[in-house]
Amino acid sequence: MQLEQLIKDRRSITNYDTSKEISYKEIQELLDIAVWVPNHKMTQPWRFILIDGETKQKLGEINAKQGAKGAATAEEKEKKAEALKKKITDVPLWIAVVLEENTQMKFREEDYASASMLIQNFSLLAWEKGIGTIWKTNTLLENTDARELLQIRPGERNIGLLQVGFIGKQPKVKPRVPASERTTVLN
């Protein structure tokens, strides 16, 4: 697939074909390619945590416990907790993208930008293989129990949880504003 078409075709996927199993080896190969991004001073501060099986179940329980706190009744709490757990457990595979936070803000921001490009690279590479992704940022990123479960150390930041699975139903294309409409030429 041509890069231009790949960029235009890629969508954030939340509906998966669960009849196909994700291969950790294939995911690792895609991550090994995705790291080829510009990274000032070659800090390469990232690491990846593949979340599946029992760990995914436990993460779902943490999400349920955390999110169901505000329910008015015990019945609502139970229903909300189950839905929040399923939001985690129904995803074929999760990847936590963790950065070692540099003490200097300049490098910290550059590292985050590089990691964002890495996530885009991974998403495009995965799409080419029929694997969909979506980058999630939510309260689980800073939840103490989730950090402990995922072995995220002090001085590290979980910048995102990537949902990963073979593409089921694709969402419709949402139009983009052409960059030409937001470009100023100063000559």
Side-chain angles (χ1 to χ4, degrees):
M1 192 180 291
Q2 293 293 319
L3 181 59
E4 179 182 343
Q5 196 60 50
L6 189 60
I7 290 169
K8 289 179 179 178
D9 286 349
R10 190 215 56 83
R11 301 279 169 272
S12 294
I13 299 296
T14 58
N15 184 296
Y16 302 101
D17 176 356
T18 55
S19 67
K20 298 178 186 175
E21 194 169 318
I22 294 287
S23 158
Y24 299 152
K25 182 177 185 275
E26 184 171 26
I27 295 302
Q28 191 61 64
E29 289 169 357
L30 297 176
L31 286 169
D32 285 344
I33 298 167
V35 300
W36 286 84
V37 295
N39 179 232
H40 191 224
K41 301 290 184 190
M42 293 302 289
T43 56
Q44 302 179 74
W46 40 73
R47 67 184 185 93
F48 312 96
I49 303 164
L50 277 57
I51 306 162
D52 201 1
E54 185 61 32
T55 303
K56 182 170 65 171
Q57 294 297 319
K58 288 178 182 176
L59 189 62
E61 290 166 12
I62 292 168
N63 196 46
K65 180 181 172 187
Q66 169 181 279
K69 289 179 183 174
T73 68
E75 185 180 323
E76 283 179 19
K77 186 175 184 175
E78 188 177 321
K79 188 175 180 180
K80 187 174 183 181
E82 186 57 35
L84 289 168
K85 182 177 180 181
K86 285 178 66 61
K87 277 190 165 193
I88 302 298
T89 60
D90 285 357
V91 173
L93 179 71
W94 289 87
I95 302 173
V97 180
V98 179
L99 293 184
E100 182 180 327
E101 289 202 300
N102 196 301
T103 57
Q104 296 179 46
M105 187 55 73
K106 172 186 170 36
F107 292 117
R108 188 180 296 189
E109 292 201 6
E110 289 173 350
D111 288 344
Y112 182 83
S114 290
S116 297
M117 288 186 277
L118 184 157
I119 290 169
Q120 175 70 358
N121 278 358
F122 176 79
S123 297
L124 292 171
L125 290 162
W127 189 266
E128 190 174 43
K129 304 279 187 187
I131 299 169
T133 64
I134 185 169
W135 180 1
K136 298 296 235 176
T137 55
N138 56 38
T139 55
L140 274 178
L141 298 180
E142 293 304 320
N143 179 289
T144 304
D145 293 335
R147 287 180 64 88
E148 185 178 317
L149 175 68
L150 301 178
Q151 302 173 14
I152 298 171
R153 301 179 288 263
E156 289 185 321
R157 177 180 173 204
N158 183 357
I159 65 162
L161 291 168
L162 307 181
Q163 292 182 201
V164 181
F166 282 97
I167 300 166
K169 183 179 176 190
Q170 283 188 41
K172 292 185 180 190
V173 174
K174 294 180 182 173
R176 304 299 200 268
V177 175
S180 58
E181 292 180 23
R182 297 188 177 174
T183 302
T184 303
V185 178
L186 302 174
N187 196 350

